[in-house]
């Protein structure tokens, strides 16, 4: 799940479990090396509060804990300017000091830490950091214990913040640099008004509308191989096979690499298609945000489609039996998708009977909340 902090999105990066494992390993190593000492652990605030807390809880021997407060981050870039806000308050002469840092990137904070301890006559100064960004590190102070090496990406959570936010998260998240998309699946039986509504919504929210039915019809009109294949199924009101439909859908999405999001209309229609869509969105660092379903009574649908058939030129709209078969096919095969998205709390049913404007309003109310 993505986390939004002010204007930025962050994606899961290091799980709670991975963090706790890394902390435990550091504790084991430090405890083993310092078992004959009474170390004093010094946390660097604010970022290290969670790490220090978990570390000392796991630490198996008596120890002391204190904090100093420095500030080095402003926004997402490490600044050169480190401020000492709360310094040391106790005598550290001849003590073994273990500095517990949440993260070391440029090493500027660490330089300040060394400056602080230079005149304290400590027995030894040991540096232990939970996270370490080797690509960003510009100093040569020794790092005695490192929990996890990470790439040079901005992270939040587990004490680390973005503009003060995100410190409370028990796991670590990474800044998501690709554009944030809103993707919705517009759902509903044939004749529910998906196409009409999609046209309004795509303009209003600047989204790309992909109707698999329209793409198939375009291919039929242009007599492509895909069109010929699809026609044999469409003429009977049956679904085009998953493999064909999924490949086509992927190609349509790839054509719109800069999209701010998609309205999928007529897709997915099967569980396999829904899973393929999740995988596809995942590969774009994104997800389906909602399935918005237009709910309309069967008899109203048949009436609307027969009416549309008089002018649309769609052969599958002309015959009541084919229409009823498409509606049946929809409920037989596709209503399971309601369960698929409901299980993820992403299903939103919208009353699809009323004026076009009224229905657009109802749909917008859902989209505005995403
Ligand atoms: P539609 O315009 O959405 O009502 O689709 C018309 C016809 O195109 C359907 O009856 C199917 O034969 C075919 N079709 C459209 N989308 C899909 C899909 N996602 N999976 C399989 N067949 C589809």
């Amino acid at each position: 799940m993505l986390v939004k902090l002010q204007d930025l999105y962050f994606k899961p990066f290091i799980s709670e479990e991975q963090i706790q494992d890394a902390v435990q390993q550091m504790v084991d190593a430090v405890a083993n090396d310092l078992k004959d000492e009474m170390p004093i652990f010094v946390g660097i605030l604010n970022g290290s509060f969670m790490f220090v807390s978990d570390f000392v809880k796991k630490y198996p021997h008596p120890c002391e804990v204190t904090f100093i407060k420095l500030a080095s981050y402003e926004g997402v870039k490490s600044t050169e300017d480190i401020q000492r806000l709360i310094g040391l308050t106790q005598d550290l002469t001849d003590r073994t000091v273990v500095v517990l840092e949440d993260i070391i990137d440029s090493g500027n904070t660490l330089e300040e830490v060394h400056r602080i301890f230079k005149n304290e006559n400590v027995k030894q100064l040991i540096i232990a950091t939970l996270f370490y960004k080797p690509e960003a590190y510009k100093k040569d102070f020794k790092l005695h214990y490192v929990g996890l090496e990470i790439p040079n990406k901005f992270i939040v959570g587990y004490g680390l913040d973005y503009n003060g936010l995100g410190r409370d998260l028990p796991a670590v998240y990474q800044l998501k640099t690709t554009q944030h998309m809103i993707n919705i699946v517009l759902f509903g039986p044939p004749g529910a008004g998906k196409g009409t509504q999609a046209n309004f919504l795509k303009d209003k929210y600047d989204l790309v509308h992909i109707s698999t039915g329209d793409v198939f019809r375009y291919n039929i009109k242009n007599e492509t191989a895909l069109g010929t294949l699809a026609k044999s199924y469409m003429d009977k009101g049956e679904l085009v096979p998953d493999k064909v439909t999924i490949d086509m859908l992927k190609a349509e999405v790839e054509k719109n690499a800069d999209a701010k999001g998609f309205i999928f209309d007529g897709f997915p229609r099967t569980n396999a298609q829904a899973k393929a869509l999740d995988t596809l969105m995942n590969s774009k660092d994104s997800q389906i945000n909602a399935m918005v379903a237009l709910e309309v009574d069967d008899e109203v649908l048949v009436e609307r489609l027969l009416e549309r058939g008089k002018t649309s030129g769609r052969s599958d709209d002309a015959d009541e039996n084919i229409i009823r078969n498409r509606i049946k096919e929809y409920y037989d095969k596709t209503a399971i998708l309601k369960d698929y998205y409901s299980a993820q709390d992403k299903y939103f049913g919208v009353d699809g009977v009323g004026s076009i404007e009224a229905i657009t309003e109802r749909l917008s109310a859902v989209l505005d909340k995403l």
Side-chain angles (χ1 to χ4, degrees):
M1 261 303 182
L2 292 180
V3 168
K4 186 175 188 219
L5 301 175
Q6 288 177 348
D7 50 335
L8 299 182
Y9 286 86
F10 295 84
K11 59 182 176 179
F13 182 40
I14 305 170
S15 70
E16 252 182 283
E17 200 187 356
Q18 285 173 293
I19 294 171
Q20 294 303 326
D21 284 352
V23 174
Q24 187 63 55
Q25 282 185 24
M26 293 178 78
V27 166
D28 292 345
V30 174
N32 186 54
D33 294 347
L34 302 183
K35 54 179 171 294
D36 303 323
E37 310 261 351
M38 167 78 88
I40 174 157
F41 293 112
V42 180
I44 312 296
L45 290 175
N46 291 327
S48 74
F49 75 96
M50 276 212 196
F51 172 45
V52 174
S53 169
D54 286 341
F55 187 98
V56 297
K57 276 184 274 183
K58 294 181 200 290
Y59 197 72
H61 308 302
C63 63
E64 284 180 49
V65 190
T66 189
F67 290 91
I68 55 178
K69 184 165 165 106
L70 308 171
S72 76
Y73 266 107
E74 235 167 72
V76 293
K77 274 269 195 59
S78 185
T79 59
E80 298 293 315
D81 183 30
I82 313 280
Q83 293 174 325
R84 196 180 312 185
L85 303 173
I86 302 172
L88 288 163
T89 49
Q90 71 213 85
D91 183 18
L92 296 173
T93 309
D94 285 330
R95 298 296 304 269
T96 290
V97 171
V98 181
V99 170
L100 295 180
E101 258 286 37
D102 44 317
I103 186 164
I104 290 181
D105 55 14
S106 69
N108 291 335
T109 306
L110 191 57
E111 184 165 47
E112 182 62 17
V113 165
H114 276 271
R115 205 175 296 135
I116 290 172
F117 285 97
K118 209 167 62 203
N119 301 320
E120 297 290 328
N121 302 314
V122 300
K123 181 175 163 194
Q124 49 180 338
L125 179 65
I126 293 167
I127 308 297
T129 184
L130 177 57
F131 302 119
Y132 169 50
K133 292 179 176 174
E135 294 158 47
Y137 193 52
K138 293 188 298 237
K139 313 284 177 190
D140 36 39
F141 301 111
K142 182 171 165 62
L143 307 179
H144 302 79
Y145 302 95
V146 171
L148 294 164
E149 287 194 4
I150 59 170
N152 193 9
K153 296 262 175 62
F154 188 75
I155 59 173
V156 293
Y158 200 70
L160 297 158
D161 75 307
Y162 165 58
N163 286 348
L165 297 171
R167 293 194 198 278
D168 52 317
L169 301 165
V172 165
Y173 293 76
Q174 185 184 86
L175 181 63
K176 186 173 161 307
T177 42
T178 45
Q179 179 170 249
H180 181 66
M181 298 197 283
I182 287 194
N183 303 302
I184 67 160
V185 171
L186 192 56
F187 201 56
K194 294 189 302 275
T196 309
Q197 293 299 333
N199 264 327
F200 287 109
L201 296 178
K202 77 167 193 217
D203 290 341
K204 186 163 176 190
Y205 295 94
D206 199 9
L207 304 173
V208 173
H209 172 209
I210 298 180
S211 154
T212 41
D214 284 351
V215 180
F216 283 136
R217 280 183 288 276
Y218 177 86
N219 277 277
I220 292 171
K221 200 170 126 215
N222 289 286
E223 296 177 346
T224 67
L226 175 65
T228 312
L229 177 67
K231 193 173 186 321
S232 58
Y233 297 94
M234 289 173 74
D235 280 350
K236 288 180 273 176
E238 287 170 10
L239 291 184
V240 177
D242 277 342
K243 170 97 179 67
V244 178
T245 310
I246 290 168
D247 284 350
M248 178 202 83
L249 190 276
K250 279 187 192 162
E252 289 299 311
V253 168
E254 297 307 336
K255 278 184 204 162
N256 293 282
D258 301 331
K260 291 191 178 154
F262 293 93
I263 299 174
F264 296 104
D265 165 6
F267 189 97
R269 269 172 149 105
T270 65
N271 254 318
Q273 291 181 9
K275 288 196 182 119
L277 187 57
D278 278 349
T279 308
L280 180 64
M281 291 295 112
N282 246 323
S283 75
K284 308 204 158 302
D285 254 5
S286 196
Q287 59 177 340
I288 294 296
N289 302 88
M291 164 179 270
V292 191
L294 289 169
E295 293 168 345
V296 182
D297 226 51
D298 282 9
E299 294 315 309
V300 179
L301 294 173
V302 175
E303 210 175 292
R304 279 191 193 172
L305 288 172
L306 284 172
E307 197 55 40
R308 182 170 82 184
K310 289 180 189 161
T311 52
S312 73
R314 278 177 59 168
S315 55
D316 60 349
D317 280 350
D319 183 304
E320 184 167 337
N321 288 328
I322 292 177
I323 290 173
R324 289 198 185 273
N325 193 36
R326 281 163 63 203
I327 296 173
K328 184 176 178 308
E329 180 92 31
Y330 170 82
Y331 284 114
D332 284 354
K333 287 205 179 154
T334 35
I336 40 162
L337 293 168
K338 182 176 172 177
D339 301 335
Y340 184 89
Y341 289 102
S342 294
Q344 303 176 44
D345 278 334
K346 289 180 178 171
Y347 180 88
F348 300 88
V350 169
D351 179 6
V353 183
S355 71
I356 292 175
E357 297 78 17
I359 298 167
T360 309
E361 288 277 311
R362 289 174 209 155
L363 292 169
S364 299
V366 175
L367 264 72
D368 288 339
K369 276 187 276 170
L370 297 177

